[in-house]
């Protein structure tokens, strides 16, 4: 198993030095517990390994994975930039203290209002279509914005078909064959494009497709440089670096991965005389995925046609198992080392049959009152949560040196109702 499960002297799960059960007593459940040290370690591991092979290297944290301001402040302190995919994420990143030059906006199917918001914010605009390019040229002085294009390199990969963003089924980016023409068009419209980008998918543990995407993007970059005369300030390979979720999966060998990618990158820079642009990547999951645990309490043990442990979270809290069939390892937080003795379904409290965190999961004895820890719940977890079933969104806390702080209050019913209006005629 390539993720760590620490038990403290009381026999409880320890998260960043804090006792998981004491946290539930203090803050209630469901509860997202984020370990600050892990975020910093993950960031530094990637940054140090890539930059040791190519020193003009930047990370743009894909904040869609977790947009909590405290998490973003940690990454701002580490020196990261931000990959933002919406005006809301740009707004959040600016509020978290990232300068506009450190934010790349990669929208898709963007409206003119969204483009205008990006222009006014001063961020780098990574365009996804010719349509957006043309509309942008009418909204602003092309000399005043930094643009790049997202290229679909025909290669895609990812842990689930919904998470593959390259290839001929993908809605994203500009076709690689079209790239040189699109950059020429941008220049004709008065822009000076400065970058090129791709993102082939999410949850990639096999370096192979990533390498292929790097190779293709570099060949496209070379062609655009030669045919459209573009001088590139940055080349961005997107995110996608996976983490192990299943017990038999292994961590990415980031040292080997970064060495291979930067090696190929440097060879291609020479081959096409591309100078020394900044190399960028946009990891989200790799930075925050294993840094958070979702704690949820078992309230019901039911022997029906099957055996169920019913908990106080649901797919409104953590959607990934229901949405992608994703495996999240689960331990009993009050006895993380107990041996498995049964197979059981772990069910949430949403009123849908698909609301399962696990089916037929080998688990130790589970009793009502036990707390389950759903691991690797840092990426696309809170950020994809909802108020479905009129449930207020849950709480996030941050652990540093064993101490906890609330970084997102638990919502209350009033939050669920906050934006509703009832016409007066319906009040009679
Ligand atoms: N850059 C772009 C343009 C992206 O669209 C994404 C993710 C990333 C970077 C970061 O990818 P990462 O390093 O986190 O794999 N909800 C899904 C994942 C969707 C990812 C969407 N885009 C999940 O829970 O697995």
């Amino acid at each position: 198993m390539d993720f760590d499960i620490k038990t403290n002297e009381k026999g409880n799960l320890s998260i960043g030095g804090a006792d998981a059960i004491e946290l539930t007593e203090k803050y209630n459940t469901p509860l997202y517990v984020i370990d600050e040290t892990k975020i910093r370690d993950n960031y530094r591991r990637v940054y140090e390994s890539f930059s040791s092979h190519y020193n003009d290297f930047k990370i743009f944290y894909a904040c869609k994975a977790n947009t909590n301001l405290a998490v973003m402040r940690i990454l701002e302190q580490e020196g990261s930039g931000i990959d933002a995919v919406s005006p809301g994420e740009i707004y959040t990143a600016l509020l978290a203290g990232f300068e506009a030059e450190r934010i790349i906006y990669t929208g898709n199917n963007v409206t003119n209002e969204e483009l205008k918001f990006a222009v006014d914010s001063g961020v780098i605009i990574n365009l996804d279509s010719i349509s957006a390019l043309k509309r942008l040229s009418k909204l602003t002085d092309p000399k005043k914005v930094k643009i790049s294009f997202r290229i679909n390199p025909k290669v895609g990969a990812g842990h689930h078909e919904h998470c593959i963003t390259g290839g001929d089924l993908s809605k994203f980016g500009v076709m690689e064959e079209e790239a040189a023409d699109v950059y020429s068009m941008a220049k004709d419209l008065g822009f000076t494009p400065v970058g090129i980008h791709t993102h082939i998918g999410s949850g990639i543990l096999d370096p192979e497709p990533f390498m292929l995407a790097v190779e293709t993007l570099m060949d496209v970059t070379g062609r655009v440089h030669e045919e459209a005369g573009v001088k590139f300030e940055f080349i961005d390979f997107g995110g996608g670096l996976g983490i192990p979720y299943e017990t038999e999966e292994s961590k990415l060998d980031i040292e080997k991965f970064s060495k291979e990618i930067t090696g190929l990158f440097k060879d291609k820079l020479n081959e096409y005389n591309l100078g020394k642009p900044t190399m960028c990547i946009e990891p989200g999951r790799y930075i925050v995925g294993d840094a958070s645990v979702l704690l949820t309490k078992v309230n019901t043990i039911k022997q029906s046609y099957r055996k169920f442990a019913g908990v106080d979270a649901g797919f409104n809290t953590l959607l990934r198992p229901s949405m992608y069939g994703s495996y999240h390892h689960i331990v009993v937080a009050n006895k993380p080392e107990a041996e498995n003795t049964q197979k059981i379904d772990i069910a949430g409290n949403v009123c849908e049959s698909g609301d399962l965190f696990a089916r037929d999961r080998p688990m130790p004895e589970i009793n009502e009152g036990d707390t389950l820890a759903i691991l690797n719940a840092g990426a696309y977890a809170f950020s994809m949560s909802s108020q479905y079933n009129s449930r207020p969104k849950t709480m996030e806390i941050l652990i540093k040196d064993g101490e906890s702080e609330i970084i997102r209050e638990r919502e209350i019913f009033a939050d669920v109702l906050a934006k509703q209006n009832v016409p007066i005629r319906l009040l009679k």
Side-chain angles (χ1 to χ4, degrees):
M1 200 185 300
D2 227 355
F3 30 88
D4 49 56
I5 297 165
K6 290 202 178 75
T7 308
N8 63 18
E9 63 292 345
K10 288 189 182 156
N12 293 334
L13 180 71
S14 167
I15 308 170
D19 183 304
I21 301 306
E22 284 174 14
L23 293 174
T24 64
E25 285 160 0
K26 186 164 180 190
Y27 299 109
N28 211 345
T29 50
L31 183 69
Y32 277 109
V33 185
I34 304 175
D35 181 348
E36 176 168 342
T37 307
K38 276 209 169 143
I39 297 180
R40 292 188 189 275
D41 287 351
N42 290 341
Y43 180 89
R44 288 176 197 176
R45 191 177 321 109
V46 184
Y47 184 75
E48 281 158 21
S49 58
F50 275 85
S51 57
S52 72
H53 300 299
Y54 187 77
N55 62 17
D56 193 353
F57 171 72
K58 282 196 183 133
I59 295 178
F60 288 81
Y61 165 60
C63 71
K64 62 182 86 59
N66 184 320
T67 37
N68 188 293
L69 287 169
V71 170
M72 293 182 62
R73 281 300 308 145
I74 293 168
L75 290 158
E76 197 282 324
Q77 287 184 344
E78 290 294 327
S80 184
I82 289 292
D83 155 39
V85 291
S86 67
E89 287 190 355
I90 295 174
Y91 179 86
T92 309
L94 290 170
L95 193 67
F98 292 86
E99 301 87 14
E101 314 81 76
R102 279 206 281 164
I103 302 170
I104 299 185
Y105 170 54
T106 300
N108 78 96
N109 301 331
V110 289
T111 64
N112 290 351
E113 291 70 30
E114 289 170 330
L115 285 172
K116 188 78 176 58
F117 184 91
V119 168
D120 293 344
S121 307
V123 299
I124 303 164
I125 302 180
N126 188 31
L127 294 162
D128 188 67
S129 66
I130 296 172
S131 161
L133 169 69
K134 288 186 177 158
R135 288 186 280 124
L136 181 64
S137 73
K138 296 194 187 115
L139 286 170
T140 183
D141 174 359
K143 289 275 162 281
K144 291 201 176 129
V145 275
K146 279 196 164 191
I147 63 159
S148 57
F149 287 95
R150 176 173 184 163
I151 306 296
N152 178 342
K154 261 195 190 153
V155 190
H159 69 86
H160 184 275
E161 62 173 304
H162 293 348
C163 299
I164 298 174
T165 52
D168 56 10
L169 287 177
S170 170
K171 67 169 178 168
F172 293 104
V174 168
M175 290 191 295
E176 54 118 353
E177 301 91 326
E178 228 177 19
D181 289 347
V182 172
Y183 276 87
S184 298
M185 194 185 295
K187 286 179 76 176
D188 292 345
L189 287 168
F191 291 99
T192 310
V194 290
I196 192 161
H197 169 278
T198 195
H199 170 73
I200 61 164
S202 189
I204 308 170
L205 279 168
D206 172 11
E208 193 74 27
F210 207 93
M211 288 293 283
L212 207 56
V214 169
E215 185 171 13
T216 311
L217 190 71
M218 291 308 289
D219 289 337
V220 173
T221 309
R223 251 180 11 240
V224 174
H225 175 64
E226 281 161 11
E227 293 173 23
V230 174
K231 186 168 172 351
F232 286 98
E233 286 175 18
F234 72 87
I235 301 179
D236 184 339
F237 298 111
L241 284 65
I243 58 165
Y245 285 95
E246 312 243 5
T247 47
E248 66 272 14
E249 285 173 336
S250 305
K251 282 185 178 153
L252 260 182
D253 182 346
I254 203 79
E255 184 42 45
K256 186 161 171 271
F257 188 68
S258 62
K259 195 170 173 198
E260 283 174 8
I261 287 172
T262 47
L264 179 58
F265 176 72
K266 286 191 276 190
D267 289 348
K268 292 283 179 186
L269 288 182
N270 288 335
E271 184 182 335
Y272 295 110
N273 282 319
L274 289 166
K276 202 171 172 298
T278 307
M279 177 186 187
C280 311
I281 61 168
E282 302 172 343
R285 189 189 314 271
Y286 190 89
I287 306 292
V288 293
D290 68 354
S292 181
V293 170
L294 172 61
L295 297 176
T296 178
K297 207 161 218 171
V298 180
N299 51 52
T300 306
I301 298 290
K302 180 191 279 190
Q303 181 65 62
S304 177
Y305 298 103
R306 316 173 55 81
K307 189 169 179 195
F308 293 94
V311 299
D312 62 4
F315 74 58
N316 56 317
T317 328
L318 175 67
L319 183 61
R320 302 190 73 259
S322 297
M323 176 119 172
Y324 311 116
S326 299
Y327 180 98
H328 279 260
H329 197 64
I330 302 175
V331 298
V332 183
N334 42 299
K335 46 175 181 180
E337 284 168 16
E339 297 278 316
N340 294 336
T341 54
Q342 59 174 339
K343 281 191 176 168
I344 188 165
D345 292 356
I346 309 219
N349 55 3
V350 170
C351 198
E352 292 205 25
S353 278
D355 183 33
L356 281 183
F357 290 115
R359 177 81 88 189
D360 277 331
R361 178 69 59 90
M363 289 296 293
E365 184 62 30
I366 300 178
N367 296 300
E368 293 178 5
D370 282 344
T371 297
L372 301 186
I374 305 184
L375 306 187
N376 300 311
Y380 310 105
F382 187 93
S383 62
M384 291 177 78
S385 69
S386 73
Q387 296 172 329
Y388 185 45
N389 281 192
S390 294
R391 290 195 182 272
K393 287 196 190 181
T394 195
M395 180 185 262
E396 290 180 295
I397 60 167
L398 185 67
I399 307 295
K400 176 83 200 307
D401 300 329
E403 299 299 321
S404 61
E405 287 160 296
I406 297 173
I407 57 170
R408 187 188 301 265
E409 299 281 351
R410 200 176 284 289
E411 286 185 355
I412 56 172
F413 295 145
D415 295 309
V416 179
L417 299 170
K419 294 290 179 190
Q420 297 192 36
N421 282 316
V422 181
I424 288 172
R425 68 191 161 76
L426 297 178
L427 295 175
K428 289 176 192 142

